[in-house]
Amino acid sequence: MKERARAMQANGTVNYLDVLLGSQSFTDFISRVTAVSTIMEADKSIIEEHKRDHKLLNENKLKIEQEKAQIETLKGQLESTKATLETKKAEKDQILAKLKEEQDSLEEHYMDLQEQQQLYANQEAAIKKAIELEQKRQAEAAKAQQREAAASGGGGSSAPAAPVTGGLFIRPTGGSITSGFGGRGSGHHFGIDIGGSAGDPVYAAASGVVYRSYYSSSYGNVVFITHYINGQTYDTIYAHLSSRSVNEGDVVQQGQYIGAKGTTGQSTGVHLHFELHVGKWNVAKSNAVDPRSYIHF
């Protein structure tokens, strides 16, 4: 009966009164009333079913839209979380890079106790020798001046030796400065780095006495020279050399070749690490100064 009702609905509106009036007999009329009643009940059932289906469709549609909105919200939250994680990762990478730089800076010039003790022991002897050499030089200069005065016929008392003035130090090597003196990361760089090519010549910045020439796990091939100029002690350090041409105890002259530029020890590229100390070198490097205050680069 439902199938018949659906077919009737599909073909158009049914006029139930025409159906009843078309009866051929009372018995046919009763049969038609019964059929029409059955069909009307079926139509009512179909309509109710259709309403339920429509309601369920709307509910499902609303549910799908709500789920879609939730998915979009979750997607936004995930994208926000992803962006936050990427930001934190970038911050973490920056912190790690900074810590690595600080660690490298500390390791670059770290010395163990035995290494420090050897430097201090050699330093005292070198300073004493440098002072003696300077005193000898001044005495010889005074004698030479006296001889010049006597040769020129001057009868007065001889003048004292002229002091060394200006130009106390020269550039130890060519190349541009790749890292200056002062703050680096949260640490401190106690010298300057001068870039260049492996094998570039390195010279003594001033005349003096070599008190350490050795391989250090941090400085690599390194040369320490003490100078005594105008009554003041200075120390210069030349680190990360590829080779050294002077030995401990050697007396060097300003501009003398002492080694070649390299990248030995705790080094990340070819350069000369150069330090200048007004006074004795010490492990705290409290006497370190910016070499650019004394040398034009």
Side-chain angles (χ1 to χ4, degrees), residues 106-179:
L106 290 172
E107 291 178 351
E108 183 179 1
H109 306 129
Y110 170 79
M111 291 185 178
D112 60 34
L113 183 60
Q114 184 177 0
E115 193 174 356
Q116 294 173 32
Q117 291 174 339
Q118 186 65 53
L119 275 164
Y120 285 135
N122 290 13
Q123 186 182 59
E124 293 302 323
I127 291 172
K128 182 179 179 181
K129 186 174 182 178
I131 292 173
E132 291 173 352
L133 288 170
E134 178 62 14
Q135 290 174 342
K136 182 179 179 181
R137 186 196 67 77
Q138 289 181 356
E140 290 176 350
K143 289 180 181 179
Q145 194 170 28
Q146 288 175 355
R147 286 195 296 270
E148 289 176 3
S152 63
S157 60
S158 60
V164 178
T165 59
L168 302 182
F169 299 93
I170 64 170
R171 283 188 62 137
T173 189
S176 59
I177 295 176
T178 57
S179 182

Side-chain angles (χ1 to χ4, degrees), residues 69-283:
Q70 289 176 349
I71 290 172
E72 290 296 328
T73 301
L74 289 173
K75 181 181 177 183
Q77 291 175 348
L78 286 173
E79 290 176 350
S80 176
T81 302
K82 181 182 177 182
T84 301
L85 289 174
E86 288 176 350
T87 301
K88 290 187 178 298
K89 183 179 182 299
E91 292 174 352
K92 176 185 174 184
D93 290 343
Q94 288 179 349
I95 293 171
L96 288 175
K98 186 177 180 180
L99 290 173
K100 179 67 165 56
E101 183 180 352
E102 292 174 8
Q103 181 182 9
D104 291 344
S105 181
L106 290 172
E107 291 178 351
E108 183 179 1
H109 306 129
Y110 170 79
M111 291 185 178
D112 60 34
L113 183 60
Q114 184 177 0
E115 193 174 356
Q116 294 173 32
Q117 291 174 339
Q118 186 65 53
L119 275 164
Y120 285 135
N122 290 13
Q123 186 182 59
E124 293 302 323
I127 291 172
K128 182 179 179 181
K129 186 174 182 178
I131 292 173
E132 291 173 352
L133 288 170
E134 178 62 14
Q135 290 174 342
K136 182 179 179 181
R137 186 196 67 77
Q138 289 181 356
E140 290 176 350
K143 289 180 181 179
Q145 194 170 28
Q146 288 175 355
R147 286 195 296 270
E148 289 176 3
S152 63
S157 60
S158 60
V164 178
T165 59
L168 302 182
F169 299 93
I170 64 170
R171 283 188 62 137
T173 189
S176 59
I177 295 176
T178 57
S179 182
F181 181 93
R184 187 162 71 177
S186 63
H188 194 87
H189 192 218
F190 291 97
I192 59 173
D193 293 342
I194 306 171
S197 302
D200 286 351
V202 176
Y203 308 102
S207 299
V209 178
V210 177
Y211 66 92
R212 278 294 266 157
S213 177
Y214 72 114
Y215 185 87
S216 165
S217 60
S218 54
Y219 276 113
N221 282 311
V222 60
V223 173
F224 286 71
I225 302 177
T226 191
H227 317 271
Y228 188 75
I229 305 172
N230 296 338
Q232 174 66 55
T233 298
Y234 300 88
D235 277 4
T236 53
I237 292 89
Y238 313 76
H240 307 308
L241 303 173
S242 61
S243 62
R244 295 170 282 111
S245 63
V246 292
N247 299 309
E248 293 173 9
D250 286 354
V251 176
V252 295
Q253 302 302 315
Q254 186 179 63
Q256 180 178 330
Y257 178 81
I258 61 172
K261 194 180 294 179
T263 182
T264 55
Q266 294 292 335
S267 171
T268 55
V270 174
H271 70 281
L272 171 69
H273 173 77
F274 177 69
E275 295 179 18
L276 174 60
H277 300 256
V278 179
K280 300 177 183 179
W281 173 93
N282 59 69
V283 71

